[in-house]
Amino acid sequence: GAVVSQHPSRVICKSGTSVKIECRSLDFQATTMFWYRQFPKKSLMLMATSNEGSKATYEQGVEKDKFLINHASLTLSTLTVTSAHPEDSSFYICSAIKTENTEAFFGQGTRLTVV
Amino acid sequence: GENVEQHPSTLSVQEGDSAVIKCTYSDSASNYFPWYKQELGKRPQLIIDIRSNVGEKKDQRIAVTLNKTAKHFSLHITETQPEDSAVYFCAASWSGNQFYFGTGTSLTVIP
């Protein structure tokens, strides 16, 4: 299988600051990357879909100015949580696909805690 | 966007019995349906997938069926083992532009 690495795995930040989470496909070029938020014992909620070189497509209810997504290359997408608040505390996880209609490979996730 | 519903949310079976998890989707354009297993504290891992031109697919103890007309697909696990205990997610995708997950099923296999 392919490897997707997400960094950091855990981060604690102060309210009002910004946090950047990286998602890298280590051994393949990802046409598309997805960002999800997962609440405890809950499903993966799709936040946005990002394609290299174009603007991310955000799901309804997700603030694009709050959750900035940059897909700078075929192997890297970043999610920046701006002006973080305690309610942004969650588990964020990315996935990447090589081509359409194929397996999505997940990163290990990032546990964000805003204090 | 796509709306994927999954049932049941929790499922307990005796070791050796079968487990069935069902999902429905709303977007008729969806054409790729993977199933993922997520163990506690780990990332989701693909266990089986099916594409819209196929009605059934089997891999050892795991099988998936798809009914495109009714827009539902199911996961079947036979001869369950304790290590099958995990949360299972179905998903529906349309040409890679959408990748929506069901609400998850927590499966417990009782030894």
Side-chain angles (χ1 to χ4, degrees):
Chain A
V3 179
V4 174
S5 178
Q6 191 172 335
H7 178 80
S9 57
R10 290 178 184 273
V11 59
I12 300 173
C13 70
K14 291 185 177 180
S15 188
T17 62
S18 295
V19 173
K20 181 185 283 188
I21 303 169
E22 292 188 347
C23 181
R24 292 181 184 272
S25 55
L26 298 185
D27 52 359
F28 68 98
Q29 292 186 326
T31 57
T32 305
M33 289 185 172
F34 304 90
W35 286 96
Y36 295 88
R37 184 169 177 176
Q38 188 173 32
F39 296 96
K41 297 185 179 180
K42 296 289 185 182
S43 187
L44 299 150
M45 184 191 79
L46 180 64
M47 298 174 66
T49 301
S50 84
N51 294 288
E52 183 265 340
S54 60
K55 291 184 178 180
T57 302
Y58 289 81
E59 293 300 304
Q60 192 172 10
V62 179
E63 300 176 57
K64 58 182 69 176
D65 294 331
K66 172 89 176 159
F67 299 98
L68 298 178
I69 291 173
N70 185 345
H71 197 149
S73 74
L74 283 170
T75 59
L76 173 65
S77 177
T78 60
L79 168 67
T80 301
V81 182
T82 63
S83 186
H85 291 285
E87 56 265 32
D88 298 325
S89 299
S90 192
F91 188 70
Y92 295 87
I93 191 166
C94 69
S95 71
I97 59 174
K98 297 179 184 178
T99 57
E100 294 179 357
N101 289 352
T102 60
E103 177 181 0
F105 299 94
F106 282 85
Q108 61 267 53
T110 298
R111 172 71 59 192
L112 170 64
T113 302
V114 184
V115 297
Chain B
E2 173 68 275
N3 181 36
V4 181
E5 295 189 357
Q6 184 172 345
H7 299 281
S9 57
T10 59
L11 179 61
S12 292
V13 299
Q14 290 292 136
E15 182 177 358
D17 287 351
S18 296
V20 179
I21 303 170
K22 298 182 179 181
C23 286
T24 60
Y25 61 99
S26 61
D27 192 341
S28 57
S30 292
N31 54 9
Y32 175 62
F33 308 93
W35 285 88
Y36 284 81
K37 176 183 180 182
Q38 186 177 27
E39 297 177 1
L40 190 62
K42 297 188 177 182
R43 71 189 80 188
Q45 298 275 4
L46 180 77
I47 55 171
I48 196 166
D49 57 11
I50 192 167
R51 290 176 173 78
S52 59
N53 57 344
V54 177
E56 184 174 356
K57 183 176 178 180
K58 189 173 181 181
D59 183 4
Q60 299 183 338
R61 297 186 298 109
I62 296 172
V64 57
T65 58
L66 170 65
N67 184 328
K68 269 195 73 74
T69 303
K71 287 192 260 188
H72 67 70
F73 55 113
S74 301
L75 176 71
H76 304 253
I77 305 174
T78 59
E79 300 172 31
T80 53
Q81 301 166 3
E83 51 266 37
D84 293 330
S85 296
V87 178
Y88 291 81
F89 294 101
C90 62
S93 178
W94 170 64
S95 297
N97 294 320
Q98 300 174 324
F99 222 107
Y100 295 96
F101 283 82
T103 45
T105 297
S106 179
L107 173 65
T108 301
V109 179
I110 304 166

